[in-house]
Amino acid sequence: MAAPRPPTLVWALIGLDGRVNREVFWLGTFGCSFLTIVLTMPTLDPATGALHMAPLSPFLLAALFWTQVALSVKRLHDRGLTGWFALVCVIPFAGIVAFLVIGLMPGDAGANAFAPATNMRGPV
């Protein structure tokens, strides 16, 4: 088995390999939520009174959605589960429950099939 690669911020936010603990998951989730609110907030045109969305809002939302998917997949890996279970998060009501379970339950102690330890990338 190859040696694990060192974790980076970019990996934590967009990579699908490895594992993250609950702290990294919740910090990333709250960070994404804050950025979603701030970056996609409509602005009021004082002349017409109309609300305007920033032209880049759809792209920002897609990037922040991907970040949340990546965090959820790595969190599932920390529990020893496949990242495909993250698809449950898009089902109404069940998704809320699944999201809370992903974020609140502790991960596996020690190595598992996805990485040698929590907050580590998997082998190449």
Side-chain angles (χ1 to χ4, degrees):
M1 180 182 255
R5 296 166 287 163
T8 63
L9 181 61
V10 172
W11 161 79
L13 296 177
I14 63 173
L16 294 176
D17 64 313
R19 303 163 54 180
V20 296
N21 64 9
R22 292 177 286 183
E23 179 183 16
V24 172
F25 176 78
W26 286 113
L27 286 173
T29 297
F30 290 132
C32 284
S33 299
F34 176 76
L35 286 175
T36 299
I37 292 167
V38 170
L39 296 176
T40 63
M41 188 173 291
T43 56
L44 181 65
D45 184 353
T48 62
L51 289 174
H52 296 284
M53 294 295 288
L56 295 177
S57 290
F59 302 105
L60 294 170
L61 286 174
L64 292 169
F65 176 76
W66 180 257
T67 298
Q68 193 57 53
V69 168
L71 287 167
S72 296
V73 166
K74 286 190 290 286
R75 186 71 197 116
L76 284 164
H77 287 174
D78 195 41
R79 302 264 317 126
L81 301 170
T82 179
W84 287 104
F85 283 117
L87 290 174
V88 174
C89 290
V90 298
I91 300 171
F93 183 70
I96 295 169
V97 173
F99 181 77
L100 290 173
V101 168
I102 289 169
L104 296 176
M105 292 189 70
D108 293 344
N112 69 14
F114 299 100
T118 297
N119 296 332
M120 296 287 294
R121 296 177 77 168
V124 177

